[in-house]
Amino acid sequence: MRRSDRYRGRAVRTGRGKSLHDALNALPAEELRSVIAEALERQGEGARGSIEDALLRRVAAAGAGKESAASLSAKVDAVERFAAAAQRVGCADPSEVDDALRQGITASLAGDHATACAIFRALLLPISNADIDLGQDELAEEVLSVDLHDCTTRYLAAVYMTTPVAARADAIAAAIDEANGVSYFSDPVEELQTALGGTLPDMDVFLSAWISRLERDAKPASLWESKKERWLRAAIGRRDGIAGLERIARTTKRPEAVQAWCEAVKAAGDRSKMLRAYETGAALVTSRGWRGNFLDGAALAAQLLGRKDANKKLEAAWLGAPSLTRLLRWLLAGERTSVMVRKRAASALKASPTKSPRLVGFLHILVGDIEPAAMRLARAPGLGWSSGDHPGHLLFPVFAWMLGGAPKGSVRAQLAQVLLQPLDLEDDAGFALLDLEDDAGLALLDEVGTEQDAGPRLSTPSVIDALQRAEVTRHLTAQERGVALTAMKAAATKRTDGVLGEKRRRHYGHAAALVACCVELEDVTGRASSASPWAEALRARTSRFPAFQEALRAPLAQARRGTGSVDNPGTRFHHAAVKAGRTWTETEEDDT
């Protein structure tokens, strides 16, 4: 049985807060114990385990229920015999393991670290080595109701407290290795402090020994920081502060170390030092993505300091690590006149820091050169729309907005939502990075080193803001409108052929939306009367794909309904529209 299954139960009814509180206060202690015991009998394993844990923790923390040495010794012997028997047969009942581990938790809370150490060692080590099968499919957490990470942390704390000061560093390192299969530690020292409720006894002595131990073990093995290198950095930062972090950053030049140093300087609040740290960090790293992050930090510091070169810092970030986010920040920094935005866009094209069809095409649109942008969209492949460099997910909705606005209920309104979404999390992967919703995507965001949620941040204008400021629709000619629509049709046709050719059923809806958007724009511009010859030809050619025909039906009907009125593209959209529903870019997967 999976852990998630064991926690299923009846929904908790609310609204009885005051009456329930009064009832609890009115019950005598004996009656209250009876009610709790009766309630526990009715709970499933997961809920019952959680309540029992809370009760045992309260008892242990209050110092109640003190046991004799003989009683404690007998308890440890019983757990060790149980663990030995489980290893002989190779399996154990999860509920019995829960009970045994809770005894270790109770001992830890009561300050009996010797008992806790013996209990945890008897069970956690064979579980970590897979010597005891608990009936789980993958992780022991699936079937145990106790918090295994909490147990492992308390085991480390017990090892720490029961080991002589001089041997603690080696003992903690050995204990972490023993429990490696049960839990993961981002910073063991922080975990130990949490388990012991504050500062570690003999902290200074332990830190020095711990750092010496890690300096022997933490040898660079790859371009990425290993866990022991991370532990070493955290320990030195804890002992030596910002100066220690700076020393590691300059010595190793590892992006993670540089990031830790810059964040510590930022948290200290000295903005002049923050500017110098981020500029130094940008010079230390070799990765373009990381360099862009540090250049962003330098630009933010310059803004906070009110420096006159703050806009130059934003330009340096765009040139150092080109991305749509950095481009938008620089284009709309300071003076936001149409002339200035177009001038900066032309300067960006001349500097040519990137060959990305997406960014180059967007810049051509801003300077009023529609044909090169349309060519990039028309020539883009039908597959690979979730690639960061594919121009489709940016240029297609931009053209749709330019040609017909985005009236409520239209297909192009849905596509245009992506132009209003904040892009602060974007790096070289472009819009595709925003689509990652699994653990790998979250890990990637951590590794890239995006700006922290806390504290001041750089603001990012939207694509619509840039288009409006550049007044791209003001000088749009009829010929340019035709070129843009022709490019959109070519892109929609290629997308349809691509997903049908590879049977990408999950993307039929996206291809259908592109086709419907083109039909909608034909009606808006007066290029179609009752039906679109282009769309009808496409439908006839794809008639042997009934699933695609079904996917086309609804957006085409919506396209016919949504063309009654045309918004002025120069009118700013209400940002609440971004929150209404998910767009195709949020579900598109990498189909390259």
Side-chain angles (χ1 to χ4, degrees):
M1 182 184 296
R2 293 182 179 272
R3 189 179 182 187
S4 58
D5 295 334
R6 300 173 62 203
Y7 279 88
R8 292 174 182 170
R10 296 178 179 176
V12 178
R13 287 176 288 181
T14 59
R16 300 180 176 180
K18 187 176 185 304
S19 59
L20 179 60
H21 184 269
D22 293 342
L24 290 174
N25 287 334
L27 281 177
E30 289 299 327
E31 290 292 333
L32 187 57
R33 292 190 186 99
S34 299
V35 170
I36 293 174
E38 181 180 345
L40 284 173
E41 292 298 327
R42 298 180 179 179
Q43 303 302 313
E45 289 184 36
R48 176 170 180 162
S50 299
I51 298 174
E52 289 177 351
D53 283 345
L55 289 172
L56 291 173
R57 289 169 188 267
R58 288 295 184 94
V59 171
K66 295 291 185 181
E67 300 183 56
S68 65
S71 175
L72 293 173
S73 178
K75 181 182 295 185
V76 171
D77 289 343
V79 172
E80 289 177 341
R81 288 196 302 272
F82 167 71
Q87 290 179 77
R88 283 196 299 271
V89 299
C91 62
D93 186 330
S95 63
E96 295 181 358
V97 175
D98 279 335
D99 292 340
L101 288 174
R102 286 194 186 101
Q103 294 183 55
I105 294 173
T106 303
S108 174
L109 288 167
D112 185 357
H113 297 293
T115 299
C117 186
I119 291 175
F120 287 137
R121 179 179 286 118
L123 286 169
L124 293 179
L125 272 58
I127 292 175
S128 175
N129 295 329
D131 294 332
I132 300 177
D133 180 15
L134 301 177
Q136 75 272 21
D137 293 333
E138 293 181 6
L139 302 177
E141 293 177 346
E142 294 176 336
V143 293
L144 294 177
S145 61
V146 297
D147 186 339
L148 272 181
H149 182 71
D150 180 52
C151 292
T152 309
T153 303
R154 293 188 179 280
Y155 171 55
L156 294 188
V159 170
Y160 185 94
M161 296 301 295
T162 56
T163 303
V165 176
R168 278 175 175 166
D170 291 336
I172 290 297
I176 291 175
D177 289 339
E178 290 171 342
N180 185 54
V182 175
S183 193
Y184 171 83
F185 295 98
S186 59
D187 181 2
V189 177
E190 182 179 357
E191 301 276 3
L192 284 170
Q193 286 181 308
T194 301
L196 293 173
T199 304
L200 295 178
D202 306 307
M203 175 73 150
D204 295 339
V205 178
F206 172 71
L207 270 182
S208 296
W210 181 241
I211 290 171
S212 298
R213 169 63 190 253
L214 291 176
E215 286 176 337
R216 296 197 305 268
D217 296 343
K219 304 298 182 183
S222 69
L223 295 176
W224 300 103
E225 189 180 55
S226 68
K227 65 178 181 180
K228 289 188 176 180
E229 288 177 296
R230 184 173 62 254
W231 296 349
L232 175 61
R233 168 169 54 82
I236 291 178
R238 184 172 277 105
R239 186 189 67 180
D240 301 338
I242 293 177
L245 293 175
E246 179 180 2
R247 185 173 65 252
I248 295 176
R250 292 181 179 275
T251 302
T252 67
K253 298 183 180 181
R254 289 189 177 275
E256 302 93 337
V258 178
Q259 182 79 355
W261 169 44
C262 290
E263 288 179 356
V265 174
K266 179 181 178 182
D270 190 324
R271 293 170 179 175
S272 296
K273 290 182 178 179
M274 173 184 167
L275 175 61
R276 290 194 293 271
Y278 276 106
E279 289 184 328
T280 302
L284 288 174
V285 299
T286 58
S287 165
R288 188 174 68 169
W290 282 101
R291 185 186 302 116
N293 182 63
F294 298 129
L295 291 172
D296 289 341
L300 173 61
Q303 284 187 357
L304 295 175
L305 288 167
R307 291 173 57 111
K308 295 181 179 180
D309 62 349
N311 293 348
K312 286 291 184 182
K313 302 293 184 186
L314 291 173
E315 182 181 10
W318 147 251
L319 294 174
S323 72
L324 184 58
T325 297
R326 296 186 180 100
L327 176 60
L328 290 170
R329 287 170 177 166
W330 170 56
L331 287 176
L332 275 72
E335 186 181 353
R336 296 189 173 193
T337 64
S338 171
V339 173
M340 179 58 69
V341 173
R342 286 173 173 263
K343 180 180 178 181
R344 288 177 179 172
S347 173
L349 279 173
K350 184 177 180 180
S352 188
T354 177
K355 296 185 181 300
S356 167
R358 174 175 59 98
L359 296 177
V360 175
F362 180 58
L363 286 170
H364 276 294
I365 291 174
L366 292 178
V367 299
D369 199 359
I370 303 301
E371 187 171 348
M375 187 181 302
R376 282 173 170 78
L377 177 61
R379 291 179 177 178
L383 294 179
W385 275 64
S386 58
S387 167
D389 282 337
H390 196 289
H393 49 65
L394 175 62
L395 299 189
F396 194 99
V398 166
F399 280 149
W401 178 84
M402 288 171 53
L403 297 181
K408 184 177 180 180
S410 65
V411 177
R412 56 191 184 276
Q414 298 173 8
L415 296 178
Q417 285 181 15
V418 70
L419 306 180
L420 284 166
Q421 291 177 350
L423 302 172
D424 296 275
L425 296 181
E426 184 207 24
D427 72 338
D428 295 327
F431 279 76
L433 186 58
L434 297 173
D435 302 337
L436 298 177
E437 297 180 352
D438 55 5
D439 293 338
L442 296 177
L444 177 59
L445 291 180
D446 292 337
E447 295 295 349
V448 169
T450 53
E451 295 171 351
Q452 302 301 300
D453 290 336
R457 304 175 62 188
L458 289 171
S459 62
T460 305
S462 70
V463 174
I464 293 292
D465 291 330
L467 294 172
Q468 290 173 331
R469 291 292 180 178
E471 298 181 347
V472 295
T473 61
R474 183 176 181 180
H475 306 292
L476 198 62
T477 67
Q479 180 183 354
E480 289 172 333
R481 289 177 177 273
V483 168
L485 183 56
T486 300
M488 293 175 67
K489 287 181 178 179
T493 300
K494 283 189 175 182
R495 182 59 169 164
T496 300
D497 291 341
V499 298
L500 294 183
E502 296 296 328
K503 306 297 190 296
R504 303 288 175 83
R505 291 177 177 267
R506 287 181 297 176
H507 304 316
Y508 285 4
H510 174 231
L514 300 184
V515 172
C517 181
C518 293
V519 172
E520 196 173 69
L521 289 171
E522 280 187 334
D523 290 344
V524 169
T525 57
R527 292 177 177 267
S529 53
S530 59
S532 166
W534 166 78
E536 291 303 318
L538 185 65
R539 292 183 68 174
R541 185 164 58 82
T542 59
S543 60
R544 64 189 183 91
F545 295 94
F548 178 67
Q549 297 294 319
E550 179 63 28
L552 265 176
R553 187 171 292 112
L556 283 178
Q558 182 182 1
R560 295 302 182 188
R561 292 194 304 268
T563 57
S565 61
V566 181
D567 283 357
N568 180 358
T571 303
R572 180 180 298 274
F573 293 132
H574 194 284
H575 281 258
V578 181
K579 303 297 183 181
R582 301 174 63 188
T583 64
W584 58 265
T585 55
E586 292 177 305
T587 56
E588 171 84 350
E589 297 181 359
D590 191 356
D591 53 11
T592 54

